[in-house]
Amino acid sequence: MRIGYDAKRYFQNQSGLGNYSRDLLRILKEHYPTNDYVLYTTKRPSRYLDKGFTIRFPENGINKMLPSLWRSRGIATDLKNDAIDIFHGLSGEIPMNLTKQGIQSVVTIHDLIFLRHPELYKPLDRIIYAKKFKYAAKHANKVIAISMQTKMDIMHFFGIPDGQIDVIYQGCHPAFQQVKLQAHLDNIRQKYELPTDFILNVGSIEPRKNAFQIVKALEHLDVPLVMIGKETAYAEEIKKYVAEKKMQHKILFKKVERMDDLAAIYKLAKLFVYPSTYEGFGIPIIEALYSETPVITTNSGVFPEAAGPFSYYVNPKNCEEIRHAIQAVLSSTSMQEEMKTKGLEYAQQFNDDVLAEQWIKVYQELS
């Protein structure tokens, strides 16, 4: 098969949708190397130039001048000329006119946060996202949701029938599945000046992630919090609060660029706390499970689906619940061990070989 991909996020996003795209293509290339995987992008990439993939750009004048128009319309002709059997939109979009060119299509929809929580988005952005996602969901030959929660949202908001949507979970970077030697962990602890015992939170530091609630929950607990993620105005609010409460010694903001380093920090953490309001899936939870780090997360939405039956669930807005959960887990060695062991067992459904088999089945059914 020759499979084409919308690779905009693959090349341009360093986290989130970029990680999803790179992990998916890595998995497919490793497990099904005889297929041709062709990556279509509007800009000549400066990173992630993996061997084994063909990369295509807009070539003629109008497509070069208007790359967004090429991505939504003009690309269909190039796909036909490249003898692409299936086109996969990796981030909720597919180009128009694929059917006229006889090309089958798959679209991955990660979440519909802009519809579930419209207050978090600008009105114009909501309109644009809704139009693109709805078109893709209604015109793709197969819709892939990254969780049952997202599948239910697609059915609810777009009226797509159950049988048109498959759920294929998101994998995670192999760094989180590799054995960590103690010497390496010691070096990482020293490199990032990490305390002996600490709680970890990873993800963009923005209101819907509720990192502020963790900070408030820790105000009267003697345990440090390490926060890793893109900082926003919300992060500045947290820092101001931390300074006012004189908590700078135990609320630590760290910047980590290497995935291997991040995986080691997960392994070093005593506990991973992730009280997000809404996610399409919540890949940091999976990273924690693979790292054998106990998880405390939100008691609704996708979170029980991602974290499994042996994680600890809380109301993400309730600081007292979060505080109690942290105390309960840290005070019980037996609870920690069960959460580590059972969490790792639960994570095996996100293994590369499992996901690769599910993906190739989708493609084969369309080819």
Side-chain angles (χ1 to χ4, degrees):
M1 285 185 287
R2 281 178 62 79
I3 309 164
Y5 295 87
D6 175 5
K8 176 181 178 180
R9 308 295 182 184
Y10 180 103
F11 291 114
Q12 297 180 27
N13 288 46
Q14 294 187 51
S15 60
L17 297 177
N19 285 338
Y20 172 83
S21 302
R22 289 185 291 275
D23 281 334
L24 173 56
L25 280 155
R26 172 187 59 79
I27 289 169
L28 287 170
K29 186 65 178 175
E30 288 177 0
H31 290 270
Y32 296 95
T34 59
N35 291 321
D36 291 328
Y37 302 102
V38 186
L39 280 55
Y40 292 83
T41 179
T42 56
K43 294 182 180 180
R44 187 168 295 277
S46 58
R47 59 166 71 95
Y48 309 125
L49 290 174
D50 304 68
K51 294 180 179 179
F53 296 125
T54 301
I55 304 174
R56 293 278 192 265
F57 315 93
E59 293 183 351
N60 65 40
I62 188 66
N63 287 332
K64 285 184 177 180
M65 291 174 58
L66 299 171
S68 61
L69 185 63
W70 172 76
R71 185 167 172 256
S72 63
R73 291 178 180 271
I75 192 175
T77 300
D78 290 340
L79 296 172
K80 179 69 173 180
N81 292 338
D82 289 342
I84 294 298
D85 300 304
I86 298 168
F87 183 81
H88 186 169
L90 293 169
S91 55
E93 301 176 54
I94 59 170
M96 299 178 183
N97 304 321
L98 289 181
T99 303
K100 290 182 180 180
Q101 299 291 358
I103 298 169
Q104 301 287 300
S105 59
V106 178
V107 66
T108 297
I109 295 181
H110 298 259
D111 62 65
L112 298 181
I113 298 176
F114 61 92
L115 294 176
R116 278 289 175 196
H117 294 279
E119 72 279 3
L120 300 175
Y121 293 82
K122 297 176 181 178
L124 181 58
D125 289 341
R126 295 201 306 267
I127 293 170
I128 293 172
Y129 295 156
K131 182 177 181 180
K132 288 181 176 180
F133 283 33
K134 187 173 183 179
Y135 176 87
K138 287 187 173 295
H139 289 84
N141 297 99
K142 177 63 70 173
V143 178
I144 302 298
I146 65 168
S147 67
M148 283 299 301
Q149 177 65 51
T150 296
K151 176 175 179 174
M152 290 187 290
D153 284 349
I154 295 168
M155 294 170 64
H156 173 74
F157 287 108
F158 297 153
I160 307 300
D162 187 318
Q164 184 65 19
I165 310 168
D166 287 352
V167 174
I168 300 181
Y169 290 121
Q170 184 174 351
C172 74
H173 195 281
F176 296 92
Q177 303 173 44
Q178 295 166 355
V179 175
K180 311 292 187 300
L181 299 177
Q182 188 60 49
H184 174 60
L185 295 177
D186 292 341
N187 288 337
I188 293 298
R189 191 189 299 278
Q190 183 176 13
K191 176 180 178 179
Y192 291 97
E193 299 179 331
L194 300 172
T196 302
D197 295 324
F198 63 91
I199 293 169
L200 180 65
N201 175 259
V202 175
S204 298
I205 306 173
E206 56 185 284
R208 71 180 172 90
K209 304 284 190 175
N210 295 317
F212 218 143
Q213 274 70 10
I214 310 174
V215 172
K216 291 176 179 178
L218 291 175
E219 190 171 342
H220 301 295
L221 294 181
D222 187 22
V223 57
L225 169 66
V226 173
M227 299 177 64
I228 300 172
K230 179 181 177 182
E231 296 185 14
T232 64
Y234 178 73
E236 295 306 313
E237 293 179 29
I238 295 175
K239 289 180 179 180
K240 182 179 178 181
Y241 180 88
V242 166
E244 289 173 353
K245 298 293 183 178
K246 296 181 171 54
M247 298 171 64
Q248 298 96 323
H249 64 290
K250 66 178 181 180
I251 307 299
L252 310 174
F253 294 83
K254 301 291 182 179
K255 296 186 183 300
V256 180
E257 295 183 357
R258 287 173 48 83
M259 196 66 75
D260 288 345
D261 288 1
L262 180 60
I265 293 172
Y266 267 96
K267 189 70 175 179
L268 287 166
K270 294 287 290 184
L271 181 60
F272 181 73
V273 184
Y274 196 72
S276 179
T277 299
Y278 185 94
E279 301 285 338
F281 186 52
I283 194 61
I285 292 173
I286 308 306
E287 293 168 349
L289 295 179
Y290 273 118
S291 303
E292 297 182 88
T293 302
V295 172
I296 294 174
T297 190
T298 301
N299 59 7
S300 60
V302 74
F303 302 98
E305 185 179 349
F310 293 93
S311 294
Y312 199 120
Y313 295 98
V314 296
N315 178 339
K317 298 292 187 180
N318 190 316
C319 297
E320 188 56 41
E321 274 195 34
I322 296 172
R323 180 185 298 113
H324 175 76
I326 291 170
Q327 288 177 310
V329 176
L330 292 183
S331 64
S332 174
T333 303
S334 60
M335 182 185 295
Q336 292 174 40
E337 290 304 313
E338 182 178 50
M339 292 173 77
K340 290 178 182 180
T341 304
K342 298 296 185 181
L344 181 59
E345 289 178 6
Y346 184 78
Q348 300 312 298
Q349 65 184 306
F350 311 120
N351 286 350
D352 289 357
D353 58 337
V354 175
L355 301 179
E357 185 176 349
Q358 293 172 355
W359 274 113
I360 211 67
K361 181 181 178 182
V362 169
Y363 293 155
Q364 288 174 341
E365 289 176 350
L366 293 179
S367 63

